[in-house]
Amino acid sequence: AKTTLYRRWAGKSELVVDAVAELFDALELPDRGSLEADIEDVVLQFAQLLRRPEARTALMAVVSESTRDEALRCRIRSAIVDRQKRLVVLGRERAQARGELPYEEDEALAGLATDLIFDVIAGTVVHRALVSCEPVDEVWVSAFTALLMHGLRGADRP
């Protein structure tokens, strides 16, 4: 019943945010043995999720609505963004344990690195899948991951 819904959610947007958050909570970071392989896997999972009509429509709707609603932006940040940063933290920890990434001694810099990694990956995939409507397939994901891993100079350049 409508009254039951409004006891838990203040409005339709909040309900949609929680529904989208549940979809995103299904994303997992498998341990495929290397940071590069882990990134490729989770990006492909994310792209597959964004191909689902209900995820695509709901995400675009709440993001659009949040441009006019600061409280909704905060809810999106806490229910979706902050919860999904767990994947970045886990990926960095695994990569550090394998010796692929250095440990960050400064907690503020570690937090900044987590934010940057999340923003680059999520922002790029969302833009490509939902704004540009270009495929996020294995070829693209491999090129994107190589760019992340090696930067603009590439792997073979000094």
Side-chain angles (χ1 to χ4, degrees):
K2 209 179 220 185
T3 55
T4 304
L5 292 175
Y6 284 111
R7 264 188 239 132
R8 178 155 184 201
W9 294 281
K12 182 171 52 172
S13 294
E14 288 80 7
L15 182 143
V16 173
V17 168
D18 284 355
V20 170
E22 287 292 319
L23 291 171
F24 285 138
D25 283 347
L27 295 174
E28 295 179 1
L29 185 66
D31 189 346
R32 293 189 47 207
S34 73
L35 178 59
E36 196 162 350
D38 293 351
I39 291 170
E40 287 178 355
D41 192 284
V42 79
V43 168
L44 286 168
Q45 284 181 59
F46 184 37
Q48 184 175 10
L49 176 66
L50 292 176
R51 282 193 288 275
R52 294 173 59 178
E54 68 275 18
R56 164 182 251 134
T57 302
L59 182 61
M60 293 294 274
V62 295
V63 168
S64 175
E65 185 66 27
S66 75
T67 64
R68 298 180 296 280
D69 185 340
E70 175 65 28
L72 183 58
R73 269 195 308 278
C74 290
R75 186 163 179 100
I76 290 169
R77 191 170 28 255
S78 66
I80 299 171
V81 174
D82 291 344
R83 282 170 32 186
Q84 292 311 306
K85 285 182 182 178
R86 69 184 163 76
L87 299 172
V88 175
V89 171
L90 178 59
R92 287 184 74 221
E93 288 172 352
R94 285 182 187 164
Q96 289 166 337
R98 291 189 295 243
E100 295 175 289
L101 290 177
Y103 285 95
E104 186 60 64
E105 293 180 26
D106 184 325
E107 282 188 42
L109 289 177
L112 177 60
T114 296
D115 290 348
L116 284 169
I117 293 165
F118 181 85
D119 290 348
V120 168
I121 293 173
T124 302
V125 175
V126 166
H127 183 273
R128 181 155 178 96
L130 301 183
V131 177
S132 298
C133 296
E134 294 289 336
V136 180
D137 56 20
E138 289 184 9
V139 171
W140 183 87
V141 169
S142 179
F144 174 63
T145 304
L147 179 66
L148 283 175
M149 298 298 296
H150 306 294
L152 295 175
R153 291 187 170 180
D156 300 320
R157 297 186 190 152

